[in-house]
Amino acid sequence: MRPTLSSPPSPCQEGVQIAFGEVRHTRLSPVVHAFTYPAFFIRVPVHRLGQVQSSTRLFGLNRAAPLSFHDADHGDGQTPAQPWIHARLKDAGLVADGPIWLDTFPRVFGYSFKPVSFWHCHNAAGERIAILAEVHNTFGERHGYLLHDRGRPLRAGAELSAGKAFHVSPFAAVEGRYRFRFHGRTDRWVARIDLDAGDGQALLRTSLSGSPMALDPRSARRALLRYPLFTLGVIARIHAQAFTLWRRRVPFFSKPNPPSTLITRSPF
């Protein structure tokens, strides 16, 4: 029996979690440019959102709070998260009748920008059978890449791929292929996203990592004290890095129209 890629076990599997870690980004062509910055994200049990009670007033589910999660920030922006993801899985012929976890950046003091979020979809046996990588750009658009192996459990560390269909950066054309890898341990979770250009040349190497723990008053205060302007910092870094690439004369690509569909399905 081959090993499967499942969410890292945790003593707080029933409630919202928070993970502290870092973002890494390396551009390999036509210039080499790399940066790393500290980050945190939340892990939301979508399968039981109706039963989850926040353990701290500093965090809100679909309500205003210093840290918060809102269904409207994901999916089509109108349908609640749980029925929306189940409908998308059904459209692809997949059944995820087990836990569904959404790893995403929270709103911080009401402000949100989520470059990428990951929906981890499991069957009743607890095996992960699909991952939806949901990408947002700075133009207010979003697009999802549904990664799966036609309902079979995903192997640990398996490389999942999808053709790039959505404009993210003006310094990368809408072409080429993404390669995703997910690694989970009890104390550490890592998502890697690499982008190869249309000619197959390695273009970008990126990762998001974090160590999960319960989202409680102590961990919420830690996030707010360390990163009170976290979302603004994400936006500021994006524009600062773009200015650096522009100064280094990296080719610029105009924004095309978004894809006609919200989801790109890509079995591998």
Side-chain angles (χ1 to χ4, degrees), residues 7 66 90 188 195:
S7 298
K90 183 179 179 181
R188 193 72 170 170
L195 175 62

Side-chain angles (χ1 to χ4, degrees), residues 18-24 36-42 105 187-191 207-213 222-223 226-227 230 237:
I18 189 168
F20 294 90
E22 64 183 17
V23 170
R24 291 179 176 269
T36 301
Y37 62 84
F40 74 95
F41 58 92
I42 57 174
F105 290 160
D187 61 341
R188 193 72 170 170
W189 182 91
V190 182
S207 68
L208 170 66
S209 63
S211 299
M213 63 185 68
R222 174 183 171 185
R226 289 191 178 186
Y227 313 106
F230 178 72
R237 289 185 179 101

Side-chain angles (χ1 to χ4, degrees), residues 48-59:
R48 59 186 311 273
L49 268 180
Q51 293 78 46
V52 170
Q53 298 294 323
S54 176
S55 61
T56 171
R57 289 182 294 178
L58 296 174
F59 177 76

Side-chain angles (χ1 to χ4, degrees), residues 49-160:
L49 268 180
Q51 293 78 46
V52 170
Q53 298 294 323
S54 176
S55 61
T56 171
R57 289 182 294 178
L58 296 174
F59 177 76
L61 287 167
N62 290 310
R63 67 172 179 83
L67 299 174
S68 61
F69 169 85
H70 292 258
D71 288 288
D73 294 338
H74 299 277
D76 61 7
Q78 300 176 349
T79 310
Q82 186 175 15
W84 182 85
I85 186 62
H86 278 297
R88 303 292 75 75
L89 294 167
K90 183 179 179 181
D91 291 344
L94 302 171
V95 177
D97 49 2
I100 297 179
W101 287 85
L102 174 56
D103 295 347
T104 187
F105 290 160
R107 291 191 188 186
V108 181
F109 295 110
Y111 187 48
S112 170
F113 179 67
K114 307 166 186 281
V116 63
S117 303
F118 301 103
W119 305 66
H120 303 272
C121 308
H122 300 76
N123 61 21
E127 300 166 320
R128 186 156 21 188
I129 55 95
I131 299 171
L132 177 66
E134 185 179 54
V135 181
H136 290 70
N137 63 23
T138 55
F139 301 95
E141 300 167 341
R142 67 183 74 167
H143 188 74
Y145 297 92
L146 183 58
L147 312 167
H148 63 91
D149 191 10
R150 298 177 178 85
R152 291 184 285 269
L154 301 178
R155 291 183 295 107
E159 182 176 290
L160 315 174

